[in-house]
Amino acid sequence: MKKWLFLLSLICSVSVFSQTTVRIGVGATVSSMTANLKYDIMNDRIVTFNLSAATDYLQRKYFYLSSEFKYLRMVGDDRELYFLNSHGEQQKGLSDPESWNYLQLNTKFRARLPLGNYAIYVGVGPHINLLVGDRRFTNIPDVFDGQARRFLWGEIFEAGVTYIYNTVLFDLNASYQLNNSSIARTSLYTFDSRGVWGINVSAGYVF
């Protein structure tokens, strides 16, 4: 917690030397997993929601930095998987998607093209994800006996458009997240992310 507070205070201290925007947002995350076998497991995509708080700082006409705290879920589902349920009967498909909750910190370099009160931007930067809550597989623990990793890292690529009305900024954003580490391990499988898509809307105040 102290590290997160330090990073937030550092961002805020740097931001006072330039125009700063503070935003809150909500959106959808689309994710799935793969075991990298001859046949895929947990590869059906699932849509979940996310919440975010962000600040845009060190702003110049054509570029700036954007840092974000985000709550999101990364999941996997398999509607074709066969296994024996608790009654010894063959069952097709998971009863619920496997999912884990994460707190994410990311910082992106954004290049933008101003168009009056609008601006189009593209961005890229690193992210870290810290798992919160239960690490176990919940659906069939007798088969998936491992746990999710507590720490993930990777890159985010994004594109979006902003609109400023007086001192209020609106941001529509689409993103693609890569994870450079596996999501979960069991005695049989190593599960990797198939890439995480996101769509977010946010609004904030321009200081």
Side-chain angles (χ1 to χ4, degrees):
M1 179 60 71
K2 291 182 179 179
K3 292 181 179 179
W4 292 87
L5 292 175
F6 171 76
L7 289 172
L8 182 60
S9 63
L10 180 62
I11 292 171
C12 293
S13 63
V14 172
S15 300
V16 299
F17 297 103
S18 62
Q19 185 184 71
T20 303
T21 303
V22 176
R23 298 179 283 111
I24 58 173
V26 64
T29 301
V30 183
S31 61
S32 66
M33 298 186 292
T34 177
N36 291 329
L37 300 173
K38 293 181 179 179
Y39 52 91
D40 284 324
I41 298 177
M42 310 286 285
N43 63 325
D44 292 323
R45 294 190 181 277
I46 298 297
V47 179
T48 57
F49 78 95
N50 64 67
L51 299 171
S52 62
T55 178
D56 306 325
Y57 55 101
L58 294 181
Q59 300 199 42
R60 299 297 183 266
K61 183 176 181 180
Y62 294 109
F63 63 89
Y64 61 100
L65 295 181
S66 180
S67 293
E68 179 182 50
F69 288 102
K70 180 182 287 186
Y71 163 80
L72 74 160
R73 298 172 67 197
M74 282 186 278
V75 302
D77 200 359
D78 201 315
R79 304 180 184 95
E80 302 298 323
L81 182 65
Y82 285 88
F83 62 95
L84 296 179
N85 61 24
S86 58
H87 302 290
E89 302 166 337
Q90 192 175 65
Q91 179 174 323
K92 181 181 179 180
L94 299 178
S95 57
D96 293 296
E98 292 287 354
S99 64
W100 295 282
N101 301 315
Y102 293 88
L103 291 179
Q104 180 183 99
L105 171 64
N106 64 65
T107 295
K108 289 94 58 178
F109 174 85
R110 286 181 172 181
R112 65 179 166 189
L113 177 62
L115 300 169
N117 289 339
Y118 291 88
I120 299 171
Y121 67 83
V122 293
V124 62
H127 73 79
I128 56 173
N129 293 324
L130 180 65
L131 185 143
V132 293
D134 201 339
R135 300 174 60 193
R136 297 171 296 177
F137 286 83
T138 58
N139 280 283
I140 42 178
D142 54 329
V143 177
F144 297 146
D145 55 356
Q147 293 182 328
R149 295 174 62 100
R150 291 191 181 276
F151 179 82
L152 305 174
W153 65 279
E155 301 82 34
I156 289 182
F157 305 88
E158 63 175 7
V161 59
T162 61
Y163 172 73
I164 295 180
Y165 178 76
N166 293 330
T167 56
V168 178
L169 181 139
F170 301 92
D171 188 313
L172 175 62
N173 173 280
S175 64
Y176 180 72
Q177 171 183 316
L178 292 175
N179 291 307
N180 295 333
S181 50
S182 60
I183 291 180
R185 291 180 181 272
T186 73
S187 58
L188 298 176
Y189 310 110
T190 297
F191 290 96
D192 296 321
S193 170
R194 292 168 59 91
V196 180
W197 296 91
I199 182 75
N200 285 77
V201 292
S202 61
Y205 187 80
V206 180
F207 293 92

